[in-house]
Amino acid sequence: MPADPAVTGRAVRRHVGVLLPWANVAVEEELPQLGEPGVVFHYARLVPASRTTAVDDSFWHGLRAAATGAVDSMRHLPLDATVLACTSAGFTGGPELPPGVITAFDSLTTTLHQRHVASVALATPYPEQVAQTEAEALAAHGIEVTANASLGLDDGYPHITTAQILTLCDGLPPAALAEADALVLSCTGWRTLTAAAALQARLRIPVISSNLALALATHTHSPAPGAAP
């Protein structure tokens, strides 16, 4: 039986609250693989009032509105950070989030700045207009988007295959990739671990997914509101 890290002192245990869109399955699969040893993730599912899963204003705003109750449901957990595991909800507006909650988009821009990434090629599953809105949001944070490719989907992200992601990224202009400091695979809802590894080996530039950015954000953020003392 493995030794308890809390007793041996060989690992620092951190507790992270994850506010999760109710149809998202990729985050629970990928975060434990991307997070540091000793990090425990606690999930609360967000159900928008519209009870929809397709990305649009009612979905994003519904997730943000549901965040207050979800944070309250974890108030007795010793949380070190709380994240909203939805990238597009971070750049499309809507109700204010509870204090201290960071979105996957916040995590993404923080990761890019910390790694001194000034320009990126962007790949997303989103409808083209949503992808363009994200490109503009990144530019507002001082990050140039050299190219932007999207699958044009508003739903069904768990069903996207690695082959689809690779084909999408193959369509990015070589010149734009040459200018980019990194490739961003935006969206927490599609599975990107295998594709990211293949793309990084192929392109020889960093590949940063939304879920990787979330995992990195949980290493450094201060205790979330409502955390038990």
Side-chain angles (χ1 to χ4, degrees), residues 108 112 117 119-123 147 165 169 172 177 180-186 195-196 199-200 203 205-209:
L108 185 58
L112 295 173
V117 172
S119 60
V120 301
L122 177 65
I165 297 173
C169 294
L172 289 164
L177 285 168
D181 297 324
L183 170 64
V184 168
L185 302 179
S186 179
L199 288 164
Q200 189 153 304
L203 301 175
I205 59 174
V207 177
I208 301 171
S209 69

Side-chain angles (χ1 to χ4, degrees), residues 172-226:
L172 289 164
L177 285 168
E179 294 174 8
D181 297 324
L183 170 64
V184 168
L185 302 179
S186 179
C187 183
T188 64
W190 57 352
R191 297 174 177 88
T192 57
L193 288 180
T194 302
L199 288 164
Q200 189 153 304
R202 181 187 304 178
L203 301 175
R204 300 191 181 280
I205 59 174
V207 177
I208 301 171
S209 69
S210 290
N211 286 335
L212 173 60
L214 274 179
L216 293 172
T218 65
H219 301 172
T220 57
H221 279 81
S222 58

Side-chain angles (χ1 to χ4, degrees), residues 105-115 141 143 217 220-221:
F105 182 73
D106 298 329
S107 301
L108 185 58
T109 56
T110 297
T111 295
L112 295 173
H113 287 142
Q114 288 176 340
R115 296 189 174 197
H141 282 79
I143 300 161
T220 57
H221 279 81

Side-chain angles (χ1 to χ4, degrees), residues 121-141:
L122 177 65
T124 82
Y126 307 137
E128 289 185 8
Q129 183 54 56
V130 178
Q132 181 58 36
T133 299
E134 180 171 20
E136 294 167 0
L138 287 168
H141 282 79

Side-chain angles (χ1 to χ4, degrees), residues 53-153:
T53 56
V55 292
D56 60 16
D57 284 346
S58 65
F59 175 74
W60 297 312
H61 296 183
L63 292 186
R64 295 176 70 99
T68 297
V71 168
D72 186 61
S73 76
M74 295 190 286
R75 68 165 51 233
H76 296 296
L77 303 181
L79 300 181
D80 297 290
T82 302
V83 297
L84 170 56
C86 180
T87 314
S88 52
F91 59 80
T92 48
E96 281 193 33
L97 293 170
V101 172
I102 61 169
T103 70
F105 182 73
D106 298 329
S107 301
L108 185 58
T109 56
T110 297
T111 295
L112 295 173
H113 287 142
Q114 288 176 340
R115 296 189 174 197
H116 307 291
V117 172
S119 60
V120 301
L122 177 65
T124 82
Y126 307 137
E128 289 185 8
Q129 183 54 56
V130 178
Q132 181 58 36
T133 299
E134 180 171 20
E136 294 167 0
L138 287 168
H141 282 79
I143 300 161
E144 178 190 2
V145 177
T146 64
N148 179 356
S150 64
L151 289 176
L153 302 176

